[in-house]
Amino acid sequence: MATVTYRQALRDTLRAEMLRDEDVFLMGEEIGVFEGSYKITEGLLKEFGPRRVRDTPIAEEGFVGAAIGAAMLGLRPVVEIMTINFSLLALDQIVNHAAKIYGMFGGQCSVPMVIRTPGGGGQQLGATHSQNVELFYSFIPGLKVLAPSTPAEASAMLKAAIRDDDPVLFLENLALYNTKGEVPDDVTPAEIGRAAVTREGTDVTIIAYSRMAHVAAEVAEKLAADGVSAEVVDLRSLRPLDRETVVASVRRTGCAVIAEDDWLTYGIGAEIAATIQEGAFDWLDAPVRRVAMAEVPLPYSKPLELAALPSAESLVTAVRDTLAATGRR
């Protein structure tokens, strides 16, 4: 068991999977000579050569399409798109091709590819470089969408994604790259589509994913000091969605607060809220509350950016308001 950064866990997993399977190769913008914008692919070009670590032009639609073709012919490409914002340029390839080929061809051809891409605000990168648009992809049947929050989860879920026969969008939040955690020496691939109860509690369920899973854990610790027992559910997978774990947790606590880094309207949280309404309505002691980003293009100004992003303070307030509505506290 080693303590490594989220960034290092990703790099180590890519290397291990490339050593394990010669069909696994990497492609993306500046991943070779420059070793990646976030240094995830550091040293891999030197070790594996340009045949398996391929620098691409700044042409997302083109190289994602090339990866789809390679996957259809039996290879396992792992594509790095510099940020999720740039994936919009490849939306047609991802939505109309990668997600549809298996079904449209009657299962004759699969597309075993992974698209790794970071998103999230808080880095002063401006409105067009700081979005969380995972909802676009979570909405599409035929895609799998993963959003691990810890180095151990990043490693286990990336292994599972690379070995999966379906196209997988692998979401990384920029704020997580330097976070540290223990990763087993021999990582077992995760079960895709399974959420994790990372903290047990009895008073309220906090549901989150990616960066907000860390915020939820921080809030749960703070609330515990005040006698509030919060259960934390880390979704980990946005599609497929582990509705059963969410519903079971809310049935135990009777309250739910959802925390997400995207916009409130039509967001991932809206789908979770609908899931709770359908599966745990009779167990609810208060309305489901959601904490999300302000409904604005994210400002560049640091104070305004921080004000727009969901915070531990806003989540604490939502939990306290929820518990107050129950009459229990």
Side-chain angles (χ1 to χ4, degrees):
M1 187 82 73
T3 298
V4 300
T5 63
Y6 192 106
R7 173 186 284 106
Q8 186 66 34
L10 292 172
R11 184 209 171 272
D12 291 348
T13 304
L14 289 173
R15 180 177 182 271
E17 289 300 289
M18 293 176 76
L19 290 170
R20 182 190 64 84
D21 185 351
E22 289 190 354
D23 288 335
V24 176
F25 74 98
L26 314 181
M27 60 190 302
E29 297 152 326
E30 299 183 343
I31 68 166
V33 175
F34 190 68
E35 299 185 319
S37 297
Y38 310 105
K39 302 305 177 185
I40 307 299
T41 52
E42 184 176 7
L44 298 183
L45 174 62
K46 182 177 180 180
E47 181 173 1
F48 294 99
R51 175 177 167 271
R52 297 186 65 196
V53 181
R54 295 179 171 244
D55 277 318
T56 66
I58 303 175
E60 288 80 6
E61 184 177 22
F63 65 75
V64 170
I68 293 169
M72 292 173 68
L73 292 174
L75 298 178
R76 291 186 175 270
V78 180
V79 177
E80 178 176 314
I81 297 180
M82 198 177 296
T83 85
I84 195 170
N85 308 273
F86 301 165
S87 74
L88 301 181
L89 297 165
L91 201 61
D92 177 61
Q93 292 290 349
I94 298 169
V95 172
N96 281 330
H97 300 281
K100 307 262 191 317
I101 283 170
Y102 182 83
M104 290 180 66
F105 291 176
Q108 297 179 79
C109 185
S110 58
V111 185
M113 66 179 290
V114 178
I115 298 174
R116 292 183 39 252
T117 186
Q123 315 301 313
Q124 279 192 282
L125 296 175
T128 60
H129 289 66
S130 305
Q131 300 175 100
N132 289 281
V133 292
E134 52 265 26
L135 177 66
F136 292 0
Y137 302 107
S138 303
F139 176 69
I140 304 299
L143 293 178
K144 293 178 179 176
V145 182
L146 308 182
S149 62
T150 68
E153 287 179 0
S155 181
M157 297 184 82
L158 184 56
K159 274 194 175 184
I162 291 172
R163 300 181 191 188
D164 200 277
D165 287 335
D166 293 319
V168 179
L169 189 73
F170 193 90
L171 302 173
E172 303 156 11
N173 192 291
L174 289 169
L176 296 180
Y177 280 148
N178 289 328
T179 59
K180 293 183 177 181
E182 291 186 336
V183 177
D185 295 330
D186 186 15
V187 176
T188 301
E191 180 183 356
I192 291 177
R194 184 66 59 191
V197 177
T198 57
R199 183 187 181 106
E200 294 185 349
T202 57
D203 294 329
V204 60
T205 297
I206 303 175
I207 303 141
Y209 65 91
S210 192
R211 182 187 78 90
M212 289 306 292
H214 286 263
V215 176
E218 174 189 338
V219 165
E221 189 69 26
K222 181 176 182 179
L223 291 169
D226 295 333
V228 175
S229 176
E231 182 153 296
V232 178
V233 176
D234 184 348
L235 292 176
R236 303 197 298 180
S237 174
L238 304 182
R239 188 178 190 104
L241 186 62
D242 185 358
R243 301 176 192 274
E244 291 78 11
T245 295
V246 171
V247 167
S249 177
V250 177
R251 287 183 176 187
R252 285 193 296 272
T253 65
C255 294
V257 178
I258 304 160
E260 58 191 317
D261 251 333
D262 59 354
W263 294 295
L264 187 76
T265 303
Y266 305 115
I268 300 293
E271 181 63 29
I272 300 300
T275 294
I276 294 169
Q277 190 276 335
E278 293 168 358
F281 179 79
D282 289 337
W283 284 262
L284 286 173
D285 295 327
V288 175
R289 278 179 169 78
R290 294 182 285 155
V291 175
M293 197 175 83
E295 303 264 336
V296 296
L298 200 62
Y300 174 80
S301 160
K302 192 66 173 179
L304 291 177
E305 182 181 36
L306 293 177
L309 290 170
S311 64
E313 291 73 20
S314 58
L315 183 53
V316 166
T317 298
V319 170
R320 294 195 185 284
D321 289 348
T322 299
L323 292 174
T326 69
R328 288 192 256 147
R329 291 184 180 271

